[in-house]
Amino acid sequence: SQQGEEDPQALSIQEGENATMNCSYKTSINNLQWYRQNSGRGLVHLILIRSNEREKHSGRLRVTLDTSKKSSSLLITASRAADTASYFCATARLGGGTSYGKLTFGQGTILTVHP
Amino acid sequence: DTAVSQTPKYLVTQMGNDKSIKCEQNLGHDTMYWYKQDSKKFLKIMFSYNNKELIINETVPNRFSPKSPDKAHLNLHINSLELGDSAVYFCASGLRGGSSYEQYFGPGTRLTVT
């Protein structure tokens, strides 16, 4: 499996419901980030959680990180139709050299929120 | 006030041709990246430049050559295009000196090789 794998691959919910997406990774990390990609657009940074943090909030977003399990989850509360997009987790590894600044992305979760 | 811009947005060309994609950022970042997103949406880093110096060079065919005339620009030139090069190419920028590695992405260039 690849670094930064998201689960599920696709998620379909109704407006107002919560959406939870999970991400697993393999190597030690400096931080883990979540990005959103609307159809036909570039990725937009949503939230970053550092390896020494366990939970972080930003508006309707809640991210958790469990470094012992090498996993993270993104929760979007009270979802809206405008949240329809693909969501990617990306990990930044520890160490310098060519690893410095390098993000490794998973294949993403496609979220569809029905009005 | 576009942060990271790419041109062209769409590129349709025939096998064997040579093409370039341009990228510019006005965020004052010192590091720029090229990513390739395949049809399954998997996003893979290709290159990274920091202050015009190549710092990340993944396993990419020699037909791909990045060029950074200054730290605000990173262009991607592709020689002898092949069908498998069809994908969406994203440019991104960030601060290498920062501690977060957060990156800002351009809108992408959809390359179709026929």
Side-chain angles (χ1 to χ4, degrees):
Chain A
S1 60
Q2 298 165 5
Q3 176 86 339
E5 283 201 358
E6 287 89 347
D7 164 53
Q9 290 190 341
L11 182 59
S12 182
I13 59 174
Q14 296 294 129
E15 253 190 341
E17 294 180 341
N18 295 341
T20 299
M21 289 159 268
N22 303 297
C23 169
S24 61
Y25 59 92
K26 290 184 172 180
T27 61
S28 296
I29 62 171
N30 175 288
N31 65 68
L32 185 144
Q33 304 176 31
W34 286 89
Y35 287 80
R36 184 187 74 230
Q37 183 180 31
N38 290 88
S39 181
R41 308 288 291 272
L43 279 75
V44 175
H45 181 267
L46 293 176
I47 194 167
L48 177 151
I49 187 165
R50 299 189 190 283
S51 59
N52 61 353
E53 297 175 313
R54 291 297 165 257
E55 188 170 314
K56 201 157 182 185
H57 297 254
S58 176
R60 294 185 295 113
L61 305 179
R62 174 179 163 248
V63 170
T64 62
L65 179 64
D66 187 336
T67 52
S68 66
K69 295 182 180 177
K70 290 186 166 59
S71 67
S72 172
S73 68
L74 171 68
L75 168 68
I76 304 174
T77 59
S79 63
R80 304 166 183 166
D83 295 329
T84 295
S86 293
Y87 291 81
F88 295 86
C89 71
T91 51
R93 292 178 62 177
L94 287 175
T98 57
S99 295
Y100 200 102
K102 177 179 173 180
L103 291 181
T104 302
F105 286 83
Q107 285 189 254
T109 293
I110 301 171
L111 173 66
T112 303
V113 182
H114 300 280
Chain B
D1 60 347
T2 304
V4 182
S5 60
Q6 294 178 230
T7 54
K9 189 168 172 62
Y10 300 96
L11 187 52
V12 180
T13 188
Q14 292 184 327
M15 283 176 58
N17 286 347
D18 303 339
K19 290 294 179 185
S20 292
I21 307 171
K22 295 186 177 181
C23 178
E24 176 181 1
Q25 55 96 3
N26 62 5
L27 296 167
H29 290 160
D30 59 2
T31 306
M32 296 183 72
Y33 308 82
W34 277 111
Y35 289 87
K36 179 181 180 181
Q37 187 174 44
D38 63 23
S39 58
K40 295 185 179 179
K41 293 216 164 186
F42 182 56
L43 199 68
K44 185 171 170 56
I45 191 166
M46 300 171 69
F47 301 103
S48 174
Y49 269 74
N50 173 256
N51 286 321
K52 302 196 296 176
E53 178 188 352
L54 182 66
I55 57 170
I56 295 175
N57 185 355
E58 295 294 287
T59 306
V60 177
N62 292 339
R63 299 181 295 103
F64 290 80
S65 54
K67 292 228 174 10
S68 181
D70 55 60
K71 69 177 188 179
H73 296 83
L74 180 61
N75 304 322
L76 183 65
H77 189 76
I78 315 171
N79 290 326
S80 303
L81 278 155
E82 300 178 356
L83 292 176
D85 297 332
S86 294
V88 182
Y89 292 84
F90 287 99
C91 175
S93 71
L95 277 173
R96 189 176 187 220
S99 60
S100 66
Y101 308 92
E102 175 183 337
Q103 293 178 19
Y104 293 78
F105 283 76
T109 296
R110 181 174 294 277
L111 171 65
T112 304
V113 182
T114 61

